[in-house]
Amino acid sequence: MVNSNYNPDVLNCIANLSNDEVFTPPELANKVLDLLPQDLFRDPNTTFLDPFSKSGVFLREIVKRLDRGLESQIPDRQERIDHILHTQVYGIAITELTSYLTRRSLYCSKHANGKYSVSHFNTESGNILYDSWKHSWENGKCKYCGASQKVFERDDASEQYAYQFIHTTSPQSFFNMKFDVVLGNPPYQMVTAGSVESQSTPIYNKFVEQAIKLAPRYLCMIIPARWLNGGFGLDKFRSDMLHDGRIRVLHDYLDSEECFPGIDISGGVCYFLWDKDYSGNCEVFTHRNRTVTKATRPLLEKGLDTFIRQNEAVGILKKVLAHKEKSFEQLVSPRDPYGLNYYENGVEKMFKLMSKTPSGNSVGIYYFGWLKDGIQYTDRKYITTNFSSVDKYKVMISKAYGERGDYPYFVIGKPFVANPGTICNMTYLTIGEYDDEQTALNVASYMRTKFFRYFVNMMKNTQNAYKKVYSLVPIQDFSHPWTDEMLYKKYDLTEEEIAFIDSMIRPME
């Protein structure tokens, strides 16, 4: 029997369609709108722009709020709707299809001048722009977004994904007007030419930067959270945003599915309120396992160049930093520890350079650990860097370790001690070089502690775990092994702080 009360919001359905274009559920759009001063929706002069509209959900929910907020000032419903749609709400669609979706959501017609439009415009587009834009190629890449010419140089009938808003130096020219609020959920990444066949690089930062150029009173966006302490090509963006001082509120979701059901975005997602006239600490809401913690704090703690995502972690970190110890990062190798040029040589060539039996000038090589056999042999002549560690003990660890689901996590793979006369390819990183095995074992014991892995977790927001994720970990005296109990006592952690670490990190034998 059909339930006659079932009336799903079509934009909720669209929001669950695909990982490629992350559409915003209406519930989430309204949480973002709740960040704004609500008197904006009672002002007939407030202007709103979504410059990367997909389903039109933000604009639709804004119209609903304005419709209620302006009722006493413009009592006639049609007159009120006409005023809102013609003078207050604007959008730029990211594709031709989403321009139709947005107009359908806003005007109840894909053509703003159609007979079914709830407010009549003189043009099909109304206040929802879309033009077929082209990339500007330079040396095989688009100079605006970094898209690969090889991938995206297409015929005019195909979608170019040259998003209007970021493919110009003058975003003000689209409407030639001032906006009070710019908001939305931009595209997250673009395929670029890289050292492998295809590689995705973030572009959401470009939308944020372009929106700030419009100098709105308020800016609200939903973006991946990896920019907070990592992400390819995001160093300048991260520094600019964390030093900006105008981010008034930040909601940080460690698990993207709490925002976008069924959508897995590595590192989680966040949304924020940027206030042009504000300067000061930020209200930080950390969302984890359906629970929320709140703290008012600077986005950058003193002496750090990265954001600490868990509010509970700030006090723990301050205790450790007070010891002013060197960073464990200095022991960690680059991502290609011995310069074997994995990407350049390719997998097939790498295997040709290895054998299952040693020869006169060979060294053992740890390679693709998931193949179980783990180690083969290769000639020393292929080594181009880190020569001094070849004939020493060292600790090795997988450079990538991914987990999904709720905490507690392992965070990193299991470290192991590699004997003298061994090296590794890019599957692993090396940790230090030691004259005796016991020192290496002591280092590995430290890396297995919850304490160590918790500090890695502060910096790690994708499966890759390169040098930087170890930057907050303090170096210890490795003349003896380490346990969590020893570390908790050394740094004077409280029972509550220890319990929090235990809730985040699983034991590693």
Side-chain angles (χ1 to χ4, degrees), residues 243-297:
H243 285 93
D244 187 294
R246 290 174 287 184
I247 298 180
R248 190 169 196 146
V249 183
L250 173 69
H251 283 262
D252 181 20
Y253 289 78
L254 304 186
D255 182 355
S256 63
E257 292 203 33
E258 291 189 32
C259 273
F260 301 106
I263 303 295
D264 182 13
I265 300 169
S266 181
V269 295
C270 67
Y271 58 86
F272 60 86
L273 170 65
W274 177 96
D275 182 340
K276 181 169 68 72
D277 298 320
Y278 179 77
S279 179
N281 288 339
C282 180
E283 284 186 85
V284 178
F285 295 83
T286 301
H287 299 255
R288 182 175 69 89
N289 292 346
R290 307 293 174 182
T291 61
V292 185
T293 62
K294 176 186 175 182
T296 300
R297 58 185 176 95

Side-chain angles (χ1 to χ4, degrees), residues 127-237:
N127 284 341
I128 306 302
L129 299 187
Y130 174 74
D131 286 323
S132 181
W133 229 248
K134 290 188 179 295
H135 295 282
S136 298
W137 305 120
E138 288 184 359
N139 301 317
K141 291 185 179 181
C142 175
K143 70 178 183 179
Y144 290 108
C145 69
S148 167
Q149 185 173 6
K150 179 180 178 181
V151 175
F152 286 102
E153 190 169 47
R154 301 168 172 176
D155 61 73
D156 291 340
S158 301
E159 180 59 59
Q160 308 292 315
Y161 297 99
Y163 304 113
Q164 284 177 260
F165 188 61
I166 61 172
H167 283 75
T168 178
T169 56
S170 303
Q172 302 88 348
S173 64
F174 290 117
F175 288 103
N176 290 316
M177 61 181 290
K178 188 79 171 174
F179 289 99
D180 295 299
V181 180
V182 177
L183 79 174
N185 179 13
Y188 293 163
Q189 62 188 25
M190 177 69 72
V191 174
T192 59
S195 53
V196 290
E197 184 63 26
S198 66
Q199 176 178 317
S200 294
T201 193
I203 59 170
Y204 56 87
N205 53 305
K206 299 181 184 297
F207 288 93
V208 177
E209 292 164 342
Q210 198 80 314
I212 291 175
K213 288 181 183 179
L214 294 177
R217 290 167 60 193
Y218 302 103
L219 171 64
C220 296
M221 285 203 197
I222 305 170
I223 57 177
R226 68 191 69 167
W227 72 273
L228 290 166
N229 51 28
F232 176 69
L234 294 172
D235 288 350
K236 183 179 184 304
F237 174 73

Side-chain angles (χ1 to χ4, degrees), residues 280-490:
N281 288 339
C282 180
E283 284 186 85
V284 178
F285 295 83
T286 301
H287 299 255
R288 182 175 69 89
N289 292 346
R290 307 293 174 182
T291 61
V292 185
T293 62
K294 176 186 175 182
T296 300
R297 58 185 176 95
L299 291 180
L300 282 178
E301 298 295 332
K302 187 176 179 180
L304 295 184
D305 63 355
T306 192
F307 175 73
I308 303 304
R309 295 186 67 182
Q310 291 116 1
N311 288 322
E312 301 93 333
V314 176
I316 299 172
L317 181 62
K318 286 181 177 179
K319 288 183 178 181
V320 172
L321 293 179
H323 286 246
K324 297 181 179 180
E325 294 163 309
K326 293 181 179 178
S327 170
F328 193 86
E329 180 183 12
Q330 69 184 47
L331 298 179
V332 183
S333 72
R335 66 175 183 167
D336 189 2
Y338 294 97
L340 300 179
N341 296 318
Y342 165 78
Y343 282 142
E344 181 178 321
N345 290 329
V347 175
E348 291 185 6
K349 187 173 182 181
M350 281 296 298
F351 276 110
K352 290 179 181 178
L353 300 179
M354 295 188 293
S355 65
K356 292 186 177 181
T357 56
S359 60
N361 197 38
S362 66
V363 290
I365 176 171
Y366 290 91
Y367 61 110
F368 305 108
W370 57 85
L371 294 184
K372 306 299 184 185
D373 45 356
I375 188 168
Q376 290 198 13
Y377 299 89
T378 192
D379 198 295
R380 286 176 181 258
K381 68 182 180 182
Y382 299 122
I383 301 170
T384 61
T385 188
N386 201 17
F387 301 102
S388 62
S389 76
V390 175
D391 293 310
K392 298 279 188 75
Y393 290 96
K394 51 263 176 189
V395 177
M396 290 187 183
I397 190 166
S398 171
K399 67 93 178 170
Y401 187 81
E403 294 174 289
R404 290 292 180 266
D406 295 337
Y407 289 100
Y409 279 173
F410 278 125
V411 182
I412 56 176
K414 292 185 178 181
F416 63 93
V417 173
N419 291 327
T422 58
I423 62 171
C424 60
N425 72 351
M426 290 179 67
T427 299
Y428 300 99
L429 302 178
T430 63
I431 313 294
E433 53 185 69
Y434 312 99
D435 293 326
D436 62 282
E437 183 180 21
Q438 187 57 54
T439 301
L441 289 169
N442 295 341
V443 173
S445 74
Y446 178 48
M447 296 176 69
R448 287 193 294 270
T449 64
K450 293 181 182 179
F451 176 92
F452 179 97
R453 291 178 286 130
Y454 175 67
F455 276 79
V456 173
N457 185 63
M458 286 191 200
M459 293 293 294
K460 183 176 181 284
N461 55 20
T462 67
Q463 68 173 0
N464 287 321
Y466 297 124
K467 281 175 67 80
K468 187 175 181 180
V469 306
Y470 298 93
S471 62
L472 295 181
V473 181
I475 282 184
Q476 307 296 337
D477 171 8
F478 295 122
S479 64
H480 60 81
W482 285 93
T483 66
D484 278 308
E485 289 70 22
M486 297 165 66
L487 292 161
Y488 296 155
K489 182 178 180 180
K490 174 181 175 179

